[in-house]
Every structure is written in structure tokens, then in C-alpha cells.
Amino acid sequence: MSATCLIVYASMTGNTEEIANLVGEGIEQSQVTVEIKDILEVDVTDLLDYDGILLGAYTWGDGELPDEFLDFYDEMESLNLESKVAAAIGSCDSSYEHRGGAVDILSEKLLELGADVVLNGLKIDYAPKGPECIQYGQSFAGKLVKVGELV
């Protein structure tokens, strides 16, 4: 049975959505099944159905999560993600003091819930860079497959 991965993202300008799609492309190239869903199309319990979880959000205001991610974030509190491989991704703006703060918030929440956060968060300024995002996806898939082999 091959590993499965879910990418959940919130995107205002389309940058984080594009990052999610490119990371997903890298994961698929590594023979891992991936689903990519907008934050408004997913229930928090869906995270439990996948081996790997990537959460993606743009950073809002002073380094915060965007409004559309807040309910999902709060509902995550009830989850135990101990058997999950995870990471966070997102678009940001280096001109702000808390560059990519949403990525940091999501990474911390994943750790708090017991997930194995296998990569540092991917923070992309403005428009995504294809090769960097694809390589991140391939690295994530590699970590996911390795963890699966250990089980």
C-alpha cells in the first residue's frame, strides 16, 4: 500500500494555492498519492485519513493565520497526529517583521499535536518558484516513505 498525503491550504492571491500545487507535483513524482484541498473544502478530521499532512497558509497582518484558517486551527486541538508525517508551507512577504509567521504557527501546532514535522516550513516570498516547491515536495515524500518503511 502506498503512502497518502493531504495538502490543505488557504490562499488569497493564488500564491499559496500555486505553492500547494507545485509541492503536490513533487510528491506525486515520488509515487505518493496526494490530494490538495482548499481550507474551506475540508473537515479537520480528514487529516486522520492520510499518512502525510501539509498545511499551507499565507501570513496575514503581523504574522498571523488568515481568518479562513482560524476555525480549522482551533478544531485541530482535538486531534492526535502522532502517527502522521507533517510540514507547513506558505507564501509570505520578507518586508514584514514576522516573515511567514503563519507557517511557523502551523508547524508549532503540528508538533504540539504529536505529528512528526520532518522539514522546516517552506516560506516563499510572493510568487512561487517551481523548482524549489517541487523539490520540497520530493523531500517530503521521501521522508514520508522512509517513515512508512520503519512501521
Side-chain angles (χ1 to χ4, degrees), residues 15-24 89-91 122 124 126 128 133:
N15 286 341
T16 302
E17 180 179 11
E18 192 174 341
I19 292 167
N21 286 324
L22 288 165
V23 168
I89 59 176
S91 60
L122 177 65
I124 301 289
Y126 313 113
C133 295

Side-chain angles (χ1 to χ4, degrees), residues 4-147:
T4 59
C5 181
L6 175 65
I7 302 175
V8 178
Y9 69 89
S11 189
M12 180 189 289
T13 62
N15 286 341
T16 302
E17 180 179 11
E18 192 174 341
I19 292 167
N21 286 324
L22 288 165
V23 168
E25 189 178 318
I27 292 169
E28 285 179 338
Q29 288 176 5
S30 301
Q31 309 307 310
V32 172
T33 302
V34 64
E35 282 193 60
I36 304 169
K37 295 184 179 182
D38 185 281
I39 189 71
L40 301 175
E41 300 171 346
V42 68
D43 185 89
V44 71
T45 58
D46 292 346
L47 299 180
L48 301 174
D49 297 333
Y50 296 84
D51 305 306
I53 301 165
L54 283 148
L55 300 179
Y58 60 94
T59 299
W60 185 250
D62 292 324
E64 298 142 23
L65 286 174
D67 286 349
E68 62 269 35
F69 220 107
L70 294 178
D71 287 343
F72 188 91
Y73 179 84
D74 290 341
E75 291 168 12
M76 285 177 66
E77 205 56 50
S78 66
L79 298 178
N80 176 347
L81 300 179
E82 284 183 19
S83 63
K84 308 300 177 188
V85 173
I89 59 176
S91 60
C92 52
D93 183 340
S94 59
S95 66
Y96 286 89
E97 180 183 352
H98 301 286
R99 176 183 179 262
V103 173
D104 297 332
I105 291 168
L106 293 173
S107 292
E108 288 169 21
K109 178 57 81 177
L110 289 163
L111 282 169
E112 182 184 307
L113 297 175
D116 183 7
V117 177
V118 294
L119 295 173
N120 290 331
L122 177 65
K123 299 176 183 181
I124 301 289
D125 282 325
Y126 313 113
K129 295 145 188 76
E132 183 179 1
C133 295
I134 290 170
Q135 181 180 19
Y136 189 88
Q138 291 169 337
S139 295
F140 183 82
K143 304 269 187 193
L144 180 59
V145 170
K146 274 192 179 128
V147 168

